[in-house]
């Protein structure tokens, strides 16, 4: 079909627009996308019609252009869909791992880990001598008298540092006391 060079774009557009929109819509199943593809194909043809062969099949050319746009669109949708599926699979895996972790650990285990972390951080905040005396007494079960002899200080000083560490830990663990009573009766 030969398009009359005197035909204006509006007439050309209105003559062929709807049939190519229906064609594109059949494949892309989205009216605005089909409209955009058809508009782009018709406009491209119109702007470049003088560069094309005079005996060219205009409708075939536009149809091929719309077809290519549909293919590109569908391939793009397919890539997005694959990405979404992979992302969803990764998210599902992450959720499954969280569920398994929570199911495999008892509340007491999780709670104990939290408390140990707070104790560790609290001890790190103490002055070095207070921390050392507390650890010797509580973790190594050394009596106060032995610690006093080992460090060359009075037993009252040992009591002071142990009380200081205990007060600091009580303050840091104050929110956990009710739970401690619940889990560790």
């Amino acid at each position: 079909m030969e398009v009359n060079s005197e035909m204006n774009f509006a007439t050309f557009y209105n003559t062929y627009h709807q049939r190519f929109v229906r064609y594109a819509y059949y494949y892309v199943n989205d009216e605005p996308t089909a409209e955009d593809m058809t508009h782009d194909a018709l406009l491209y043809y119109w702007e470049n019609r003088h560069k094309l062969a005079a005996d060219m099949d205009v409708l075939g050319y536009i149809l091929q252009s719309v077809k290519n746009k549909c293919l590109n669109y569908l391939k793009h949708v397919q890539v997005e869909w694959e990405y979404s599926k992979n992302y969803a699979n990764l998210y599902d895996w992450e959720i499954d791992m969280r569920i398994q972790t929570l199911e495999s650990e008892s509340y007491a285990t999780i709670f104990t880990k939290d408390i140990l972390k707070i104790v560790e951080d609290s001890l790190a905040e103490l002055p070095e001598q207070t921390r050392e005396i507390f650890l010797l007494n509580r973790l190594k079960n050394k009596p106060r008298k032995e610690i006093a002899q080992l460090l060359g200080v009075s037993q009252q000083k040992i009591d002071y540092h142990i009380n200081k560490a205990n007060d600091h830990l009580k303050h840091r663990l104050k929110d956990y006391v009710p739970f401690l009573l619940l889990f560790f009766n």
Side-chain angles (χ1 to χ4, degrees), residues 155-172:
Q155 198 167 343
Q156 287 83 8
K157 190 158 190 147
I158 300 301
D159 290 340
Y160 167 78
H161 286 287
I162 289 173
N163 288 333
K164 182 178 177 181
N166 282 336
D167 288 344
H168 184 69
L169 285 171
K170 280 182 201 173
H171 176 71
R172 290 292 306 272

Side-chain angles (χ1 to χ4, degrees), residues 4-163:
N4 182 343
S5 60
E6 293 183 18
M7 179 187 284
N8 69 21
F9 180 70
T11 305
F12 170 75
Y13 189 90
N14 291 331
T15 303
Y16 299 111
H17 176 259
Q18 207 45 43
R19 73 173 74 172
F20 289 114
V21 169
R22 281 193 305 271
Y23 175 80
Y25 180 78
Y26 177 79
Y27 291 103
V28 300
N29 200 30
D30 181 58
E31 186 77 26
T33 302
E35 291 272 350
D36 288 347
M37 290 175 175
T38 300
H39 175 78
D40 291 348
L42 291 171
L43 185 61
Y44 182 83
Y45 166 76
W46 189 260
E47 289 175 346
N48 294 287
R49 70 188 185 283
H50 300 296
K51 299 176 190 172
L52 303 172
D55 61 343
M56 181 188 62
D57 177 15
V58 173
L59 296 181
Y61 179 85
I62 297 169
L63 181 67
Q64 187 64 43
S65 178
V66 172
K67 176 184 167 186
N68 290 340
K69 289 178 183 305
C70 289
L71 280 170
N72 290 339
Y73 173 82
L74 292 173
K75 287 177 183 178
H76 179 74
V77 167
Q78 187 177 38
V79 167
E80 286 180 342
W81 178 251
E82 287 298 318
Y83 175 79
S84 295
K85 282 191 332 190
N86 289 338
Y87 182 77
N89 289 340
L90 179 62
Y91 185 72
D92 287 345
W93 176 84
E94 184 180 346
I95 295 296
D96 287 344
M97 290 298 105
R98 289 179 184 181
I99 289 170
Q100 287 176 13
T101 301
L102 288 172
E103 288 177 343
S104 69
E105 289 188 297
S106 68
Y107 289 118
T109 304
I110 295 168
F111 189 68
T112 302
K113 287 179 183 177
D114 288 345
I115 290 176
L116 288 175
K117 177 70 174 140
I118 292 170
V119 169
E120 184 180 295
D121 292 346
S122 297
L123 291 175
E125 294 169 352
L126 292 172
E128 188 176 333
Q129 186 177 28
T130 304
R131 182 175 50 250
E132 180 182 11
I133 291 169
F134 182 82
L135 292 174
L136 286 171
N137 179 254
R138 301 296 177 169
L139 296 181
K140 296 191 178 182
N141 295 322
K142 295 206 180 276
R144 292 178 166 143
K145 186 175 182 180
E146 187 180 329
I147 297 170
Q149 288 172 350
L150 182 69
L151 298 177
V153 294
S154 70
Q155 198 167 343
Q156 287 83 8
K157 190 158 190 147
I158 300 301
D159 290 340
Y160 167 78
H161 286 287
I162 289 173
N163 288 333

